[in-house]
Amino acid sequence: MKYSIELVPRSWETLNTEVEEVSQFGQINTLNIPDLLRFDVRSWDACDRLQDKFDEVIPHLRAIDFDLRNGFPLTDFFRHSKINSVLVVEGDPPQDISHRTYRNTSCELIRIIKKELPYMKVYAAIDQYRTSMRKELDYIHDKIDAGVDGFFTQPFFDLKFLDVYMDMLQGTEVFWGMSPIHSETSQSYWENKNDVVFPSDFEPTKEWNIKFGRAMIKKVQARDDNVYFMPIRANASEYLGKLLAED
């Protein structure tokens, strides 16, 4: 079982500080770095620098950012690095219209990476909120056909909903996402931006999130699957300290 933590690369200084803080938790053996255009630090550069801190480092790659007409532009970089895993996402259109994007799908980038870097372990994203379950499952199968090795999900907030996806993805390597929500503003964001339907007992409190998180970890452990911590608007070390503390 693997425990992955997502850390946002706002700057080298803050990233290094957060890495040192989460390194105290021995369970965390995998690092995920999203590639966010509003920051200067690129995901693959961050993972290259920090790979000695974790068993596995996984940079996120936005498919729409790469001109794939002549292959994958980062092939040489990855050949010379020791990074052996990536997470491919399609990517949202940038707010800065001067940033060039391309009409690529996740599947196209997955196929090219698998062709040019066959040793690379390629993960893809599951967004269980973006569309109907039927369409998302079809998209998951398309990514598997393209050669993907496993998946990272959006965070879950409902154990019953988690059960449904776990049943559908038996036999597939999955990192099941969880993210704390500590305010009504954050709850509203997930409801309006990502179409999340929260369970009736949900409360945007630290207590509810810790209780739910522990229950979810037990469920994932029972299946020998993996956990994906996404402390998007929370202090990572504080969140993990309470979540992973022994009773």
Side-chain angles (χ1 to χ4, degrees):
M1 179 174 179
K2 298 178 182 178
Y3 290 83
S4 181
I5 182 77
E6 177 179 296
L7 297 179
V8 175
R10 294 178 175 84
S11 69
W12 285 115
E13 181 180 6
T14 58
L15 183 58
N16 287 330
T17 298
E18 289 185 325
V19 165
E20 290 302 317
E21 290 176 348
V22 302
S23 293
Q24 65 183 297
F25 303 100
Q27 303 98 316
I28 308 299
N29 48 31
T30 304
L31 173 67
N32 273 64
I33 301 289
D35 197 54
L36 303 176
L37 300 179
R38 64 182 183 276
F39 302 125
D40 293 332
V41 181
R42 300 275 60 82
S43 63
W44 49 91
D45 290 329
C47 285
D48 189 40
R49 183 180 295 191
L50 296 169
Q51 59 184 302
D52 62 330
K53 303 286 187 180
F54 298 86
D55 294 341
E56 185 176 20
V57 292
I58 305 177
H60 295 197
L61 305 176
R62 289 163 36 93
I64 66 172
D65 288 339
F66 299 104
D67 183 354
L68 301 179
R69 289 172 293 184
N70 296 309
F72 179 44
L74 293 176
T75 293
D76 287 341
F77 171 87
F78 283 112
R79 279 177 178 160
H80 293 96
S81 78
K82 296 181 180 180
I83 299 172
N84 294 314
S85 304
V86 296
L87 169 59
V88 172
V89 300
E90 190 154 317
D92 295 324
Q95 294 183 345
D96 181 3
I97 60 174
S98 66
H99 178 81
R100 179 73 184 273
T101 59
Y102 303 88
R103 298 177 65 86
N104 305 321
T105 66
S106 295
C107 291
E108 288 173 311
L109 181 54
I110 290 166
R111 289 190 183 94
I112 287 179
I113 292 176
K114 277 298 187 179
K115 179 181 178 181
E116 299 188 3
L117 301 166
Y119 64 87
M120 185 71 75
K121 191 165 191 177
V122 180
Y123 294 96
I126 292 175
D127 186 344
Q128 62 271 27
Y129 307 112
R130 100 176 89 204
T131 183
S132 71
M133 190 175 297
R134 177 71 265 167
K135 289 183 178 179
E136 187 63 18
L137 186 58
D138 287 343
Y139 198 18
I140 289 169
H141 288 158
D142 287 344
K143 292 173 182 178
I144 292 174
D145 290 342
V148 79
D149 298 289
F151 294 91
F152 282 76
T153 77
Q154 284 274 40
F156 281 85
F157 306 100
D158 187 326
L159 294 179
K160 293 179 181 178
F161 191 38
L162 175 65
D163 281 335
V164 173
Y165 266 87
M166 281 185 162
D167 287 342
M168 291 196 307
L169 295 174
Q170 290 187 50
T172 304
E173 182 178 2
V174 181
F175 283 79
W176 301 98
M178 64 172 65
S179 180
I181 293 181
H182 294 160
S183 70
E184 292 182 357
T185 299
S186 293
Q187 179 182 352
S188 178
Y189 171 86
W190 282 99
E191 288 174 331
N192 293 298
K193 180 71 173 179
N194 294 306
D195 294 326
V196 173
V197 177
F198 288 91
S200 59
D201 68 341
F202 176 78
E203 297 176 2
T205 63
K206 292 181 180 180
E207 292 75 18
W208 190 95
N209 281 273
I210 295 303
K211 181 180 179 181
F212 173 83
R214 289 179 175 178
M216 180 170 167
I217 289 173
K218 287 182 180 179
K219 185 177 286 290
V220 174
Q221 284 177 329
R223 294 174 59 97
D224 198 27
D225 278 346
N226 311 298
V227 175
Y228 180 30
F229 298 118
M230 307 164 69
I232 300 170
R233 296 186 178 275
N235 180 282
S237 60
E238 179 182 347
Y239 173 60
L240 293 175
K242 294 180 179 178
L243 187 62
L244 301 176
E246 296 184 2
D247 294 327

